[in-house]
Amino acid sequence: LQTGPHSVTAFNRGLCFYTMGQYDKALQSVNRALELRPGYKLAQTYRDRILAECTPEVGDRGQVTKVTMRGGVTLMMDPSSL
């Protein structure tokens, strides 16, 4: 049996972090789920919810480059992951 990264595992981890209010970790995990499975609708929905809980900073090309989460945690974002 081989184990490794799996989109559902990454999403579930993100959902747990989201439920605990740890939006920075939730966003990282949900983005990982989307890297592993592009088009994962449930992960996209929760990414949108997480981003609604923060203040995004938009770059020159209209893409989110950084988000400030509740509690003041700031994340630099790779625009290609959003």
Side-chain angles (χ1 to χ4, degrees), residues 30-76:
V30 169
N31 280 338
R32 180 64 179 144
L34 288 165
E35 286 173 12
L36 295 168
R37 189 165 120 198
Y40 187 176
K41 295 292 185 190
L42 192 54
Q44 290 172 339
T45 298
Y46 271 87
R47 183 183 60 199
D48 293 343
R49 286 183 184 183
I50 293 163
L51 289 174
E53 297 288 336
C54 67
T55 305
E57 184 175 304
V58 179
D60 296 338
R61 296 183 177 182
Q63 295 176 314
V64 176
T65 57
K66 152 172 110 165
V67 294
T68 302
M69 313 305 282
R70 276 198 238 160
V73 175
T74 300
L75 295 173
M76 301 305 292

